[in-house]
Amino acid sequence: LAKPIEHCITLEQGFTAELVFGLVLQNIQNDPSFLAIHEQCNVEPALINCLKYVQEHKILLQKLNVLAIQMPDVFDQSLFCAWMTLCALTLEGRPQKELNVAFLAALTHDFGLLEVTPEIIFKTGELEPGEWVAMQQHPLLGARTLKNLCYDVDATAIRAVAEHHESPDGTG
């Protein structure tokens, strides 16, 4: 193919920024502690702006939709991770551009899991060495996916996705 398959097909009723906004709110409203954090951080305006940024990359919303269907727990974790990242950086007073990049990276950090075979992802027993190597590749696969789908995404977001399992000492 001359371009990734994701650019050749679209979901008829895929995710929108408004739907993702509602899902984030639904997740945090299930826990009074998270709701208190959300209100204390006054994160809603920044969240709306981050989702507008994500909406500019409709292909990412489509990929997020696929993640929600194939791996609902991973999808929920991605929503939570993006929201918590936004809360922390909002409290630090970071500018909206940085919030957009960090939110996007957190939201898409596990897209690489979609490239690992389902037999490995959903295996109930211990992973064989080759399977473990495949799982360890998901951050790099996710970074490649992000780079290939959105040519104008900030390099910081791509790096964050690639390194999301790294330890400060460079291992991970």
Side-chain angles (χ1 to χ4, degrees):
L1 291 174
K3 53 186 174 178
I5 190 78
E6 290 89 350
H7 287 285
C8 300
I9 59 170
T10 58
L11 299 175
E12 194 170 298
Q13 294 187 350
F15 279 7
T16 63
E18 294 80 15
L19 178 61
V20 175
F21 178 78
L23 292 170
V24 170
L25 292 183
Q26 181 180 8
N27 282 346
I28 62 171
Q29 289 172 347
N30 290 332
D31 187 309
S33 300
F34 296 151
L35 190 54
I37 292 169
H38 183 77
E39 291 169 357
Q40 180 184 358
C41 293
N42 190 29
V43 74
E44 214 156 291
L47 177 60
I48 290 168
N49 285 326
C50 286
L51 287 167
K52 286 179 183 174
Y53 177 70
V54 172
Q55 182 77 39
E56 292 173 15
H57 304 92
K58 290 184 182 355
I59 194 80
L60 295 181
L61 288 172
Q62 182 169 305
K63 198 76 160 172
L64 196 61
N65 200 158
V66 172
L67 185 66
I69 292 166
Q70 292 187 356
M71 297 178 221
D73 291 340
V74 174
F75 169 74
D76 286 343
Q77 177 202 11
S78 295
L79 288 181
F80 180 79
C81 184
W83 171 77
M84 187 56 81
T85 298
L86 188 58
C87 287
L89 296 179
T90 298
L91 284 176
E92 287 183 2
R94 299 294 181 100
Q96 186 64 51
K97 183 178 180 188
E98 284 184 37
L99 299 178
N100 291 346
V101 170
F103 182 85
L104 179 71
L107 190 63
T108 63
H109 76 277
D110 273 336
F111 276 9
L113 289 174
L114 293 169
E115 306 296 323
V116 178
T117 63
E119 294 80 20
I120 294 173
I121 294 290
F122 299 112
K123 185 173 181 178
T124 55
E126 191 172 320
L127 295 176
E128 299 294 327
E131 295 169 331
W132 183 240
V133 168
M135 282 297 286
Q136 289 175 317
Q137 293 300 311
H138 88 267
L140 295 176
L141 294 170
R144 185 188 70 198
T145 297
L146 186 59
K147 183 178 180 180
N148 289 342
L149 293 181
C150 303
Y151 305 105
D152 63 340
V153 168
D154 192 292
T156 306
I158 295 167
R159 182 176 177 193
V161 170
E163 297 178 358
H164 80 266
H165 281 292
E166 293 294 319
S167 298
D169 66 0
T171 63

